Amino acid sequence: YYGLYLLSTGDVKGAFFLIALDEIPDDIPMLEKIITVLDENQSYKEVVMIVRKKGAKTVFIQYVYGKSLLYTGNYEQALILLHQVYTKGVHEADYYIGTAYYNKKDYNNALIWYKKANTRQPDNKQYIAAIASVYRKLGDYTKATDYIMRLQK
């Protein structure tokens, strides 16, 4: 199991070997390890492939699967899954829910969810920039500028 060895060292190539050889293990801890390594390496298409084969057996896998659906352009499915994990206590999903709405050009809902994320982590520059971007899209340049100024602090 060369793929498992590579994964144990954090090498994303291990996941690719397992996918190519169709030797993705069924045990949940190893599945979560594979999903984690792929997520850390932004290999979202591979996460989607694995979850479609093995299922989203834990809330963590559902969360990463939701993010992966978002980043592969499947916004509707991503929203469904990310809302589910948010209600199960994965509050980090708020930012990704906002991003899915933003990509769907539903800026009012994007703003709601980005503000939830910003309330959770007020100093997170990614969240502040996202809010500024929404205000810009909504044509509220005063509020957009206020949030951009927060990035300078």
Side-chain angles (χ1 to χ4, degrees):
Y1 282 159
Y2 184 62
L4 292 176
Y5 167 74
L6 288 174
L7 275 170
S8 71
T9 65
D11 190 335
V12 72
K13 291 178 198 163
F16 297 140
F17 278 117
L18 294 172
I19 293 168
L21 297 173
D22 199 23
E23 293 185 3
I24 304 160
D26 286 319
D27 72 287
I28 291 173
M30 182 53 67
L31 201 53
E32 285 187 342
K33 172 72 174 167
I34 293 168
I35 298 292
T36 299
V37 171
L38 289 170
D39 183 41
E40 289 170 352
N41 286 277
Q42 300 177 352
S43 298
Y44 300 118
K45 288 179 185 174
E46 289 75 16
V47 169
V48 171
M49 287 171 45
I50 288 175
V51 173
R52 286 189 176 154
K53 276 189 170 200
K54 297 296 181 175
K57 299 177 180 181
T58 66
V59 174
F60 170 75
I61 294 173
Q62 292 169 359
Y63 168 61
V64 177
Y65 183 46
K67 282 175 41 181
S68 300
L69 289 168
L70 167 68
Y71 288 124
T72 56
N74 194 334
Y75 308 130
E76 290 298 328
Q77 255 192 311
L79 279 169
I80 292 166
L81 208 52
L82 291 168
H83 274 288
Q84 287 174 356
V85 298
Y86 183 84
T87 61
K88 293 178 183 176
V90 182
H91 298 292
E92 296 81 13
D94 51 15
Y95 172 77
Y96 300 102
I97 293 169
T99 301
Y101 281 122
Y102 184 91
N103 289 337
K104 289 177 44 120
K105 298 181 181 6
D106 183 346
Y107 302 120
N108 290 317
N109 273 318
L111 186 60
I112 290 167
W113 287 94
Y114 283 154
K115 283 189 170 186
K116 285 183 184 196
N118 189 234
T119 299
R120 191 172 42 75
Q121 290 185 355
D123 297 326
N124 186 309
K125 292 188 182 299
Q126 185 178 20
Y127 301 165
I128 295 167
I131 294 169
S133 180
V134 170
Y135 278 125
R136 188 176 51 79
K137 291 285 189 182
L138 292 172
D140 190 336
Y141 299 107
T142 302
K143 286 187 180 177
T145 301
D146 289 344
Y147 276 88
I148 290 168
M149 296 305 292
R150 285 181 56 189
L151 291 171
Q152 307 303 316
K153 295 179 182 179

